[in-house]
Amino acid sequence: MSTKQQTLKAPISFSGKGLHTGVQVTMTIHPAEAGRGIVFRRTDIEGQPEIPALCDYVVDTSRGTTIEAGGHRVSTIEHVMSALWTLGVDNALIDIDAPETPILDGSAREYARAITETGLVDQDAERNYYHVTEKMVYTIPEKGTAIILYPDDEFSVSVHVDYNSKVIGNQYATLEPGDDYASKISPCRTFVFLHELEPLMKMNLIKGGDLDNAIVVVENPVPEEQLDHLKKLFNKPDIEIKAGYLNNLELRCNNELARHKLLDLLGDFALLGVRIKGRVWATRPGHFANTEFMKQLKRTIRKAGEKPRYTYDCRKPALYDINAIRRMLPHRPPFLLVDRIFHCDATSVAGIKNVTMNEPFFVGHFPEEPVMPGVLIIEAMAQCSGIMVLNTVPDPENYSTYFMKIDNAKFKRKVVPGDTLQFEIHLLEPIRRGVALVEAKAFVGESLACEAELMAQIVKNKTPKQQ
């Protein structure tokens, strides 16, 4: 799979009825720009509100996964999300004219076929991955549900289902790196037990359900009067039961039900919005467990994101020492606020500032309880950003970096004499025309002290800098 973000080469459209609402739906999946993620847009509502396909927006998992934003919903999104995400689509805008995706044949086969036939295109942005570093567990003991995520260099899934059913039995399904999702997983259909049908209908669900888009599992013998009732229910006079399945249905593979559970899990895991490098083992997974685990994982990622990504070793030579920094930046004491750079590449930079009592700002900034001014921490992060951006030109000494915007600045803790500030700057999008948008963070030890989104531009100096 590409290391670059990907989107579709061209739009693809689908029409059909919603499984639970029964309404006719037209859904068109458009290519989208890098970093957009997958977003649903309700074209049947004034203003065409958008709903990001992320676990933060999940509001219902009773018989499918439903997301909501601004009071507007899209339900049963797991099949299309499974196909898009697993086949490599990172960014897409999905126009939909109803509150539910089309169920089609109850699988993701049509979605997968259209995606593979249309093809994908690489985009000018790197994919985001979460590398699992320690075992994570989510369980619902009373349901026998467990999802375990182990560290690994690639993404793989193993699913085990056991419903104490003599028809289904124990079933296992796997998706390993290199497996063909389109042929192995996408054709596997959703299923329901016969005894669940009546309650679901009383709940005003499965209005669009029929024997062409779901597997109905029959555990016990069915009296003739109940069979007659089912014939009327589905408007099919030739319904019969054979080998534990309604209407003499033939399975597409002997573990189709486990594979469908794996299909659903992939769709729900896509709502993390970040690709995972880890190995998943799931027992009796379901939409609630899948999405709750993604919310738990997202909290873990956010916490991990508040720790330094790079390790500073004072014993190693600096990538840029103070003299090299002076040659690149026009700042001079007391406004040169970076002491050394120990990491720098095309998309990130990391530097150090040793905060001492000799700093001139401590004379007047709370002299009895000296605290480094927050604006100077931001300035220091901006100077680090400037070094990264200046690395993109052959003669950085003839350019200066200027602020254009500061957003979402937050101060998490005081910075006092004796602290060592570690700055980490990451590009949020490619540099264009000398303009850089970055995520900037400052740490003291492993504690986040300050963060902000900064936009800056490099401009050629009217006269060369004096060294």
Side-chain angles (χ1 to χ4, degrees), residues 189-395:
R189 295 160 292 180
T190 191
F191 63 94
V192 63
F193 288 92
L194 180 61
H195 65 264
E196 296 177 305
L197 287 178
E198 291 280 3
L200 287 171
M201 289 179 170
K202 288 178 181 177
M203 292 167 63
N204 212 26
L205 296 173
I206 62 168
K207 292 179 179 178
D210 59 40
L211 300 183
D212 297 321
N213 57 31
I215 299 168
V216 181
V217 182
V218 183
E219 281 292 311
N220 301 306
V222 177
E224 194 64 35
E225 61 270 20
Q226 187 179 357
L227 196 59
D228 290 338
H229 174 63
L230 290 171
K231 290 176 182 179
K232 294 177 183 177
L233 197 63
F234 291 106
N235 194 27
K236 287 184 179 291
D238 57 345
I239 283 180
E240 59 179 336
I241 298 169
K242 189 175 180 181
Y245 297 100
L246 198 60
N247 215 32
N248 198 22
L249 175 139
E250 289 187 14
L251 296 178
R252 292 174 177 170
C253 53
N254 59 9
N255 63 340
E256 184 172 357
L257 280 63
R259 291 194 196 191
H260 185 80
K261 280 296 183 181
L262 194 155
L263 184 157
D264 281 348
L265 182 145
L266 292 169
D268 290 335
F269 272 39
L271 301 180
L272 183 65
V274 176
R275 296 187 181 275
I276 298 170
K277 288 194 175 182
R279 179 165 47 92
V280 181
W281 174 262
T283 301
R284 293 188 70 170
H287 297 301
F288 177 79
N290 299 342
T291 55
E292 285 298 307
F293 187 46
M294 287 304 95
K295 292 174 184 178
Q296 175 183 311
L297 183 54
K298 198 158 196 175
R299 289 191 293 269
T300 299
I301 292 172
R302 284 171 179 158
K303 290 182 70 175
E306 294 184 351
K307 294 180 181 179
R309 302 188 197 182
Y310 306 107
T311 301
Y312 171 59
D313 187 344
C314 63
R315 298 168 297 180
K316 294 182 178 179
L319 187 62
Y320 299 120
D321 63 13
I322 191 63
N323 293 317
I325 292 170
R326 281 166 53 90
R327 286 191 290 270
M328 294 184 74
L329 296 180
H331 309 80
R332 294 296 178 264
F335 286 103
L336 181 56
L337 297 169
V338 183
D339 293 333
R340 61 172 54 191
I341 298 295
F342 67 91
H343 164 83
C344 188
D345 59 27
T347 61
S348 62
V349 65
I352 291 295
K353 163 68 177 172
N354 294 305
V355 182
T356 76
M357 191 59 202
N358 295 323
E359 307 286 352
F361 46 77
F362 285 138
V363 175
H365 198 260
F366 306 168
E368 302 305 318
E369 292 287 340
V371 176
M372 184 174 180
V375 291
L376 294 185
I377 300 174
I378 291 178
E379 170 64 24
M381 295 192 299
Q383 290 179 18
C384 278
S385 305
I387 290 171
M388 178 178 64
V389 180
L390 288 166
N391 259 327
T392 64
V393 296
D395 53 342

Side-chain angles (χ1 to χ4, degrees), residues 76 88 126 161 349 434:
T76 324
E126 296 294 321
V161 295
V349 65

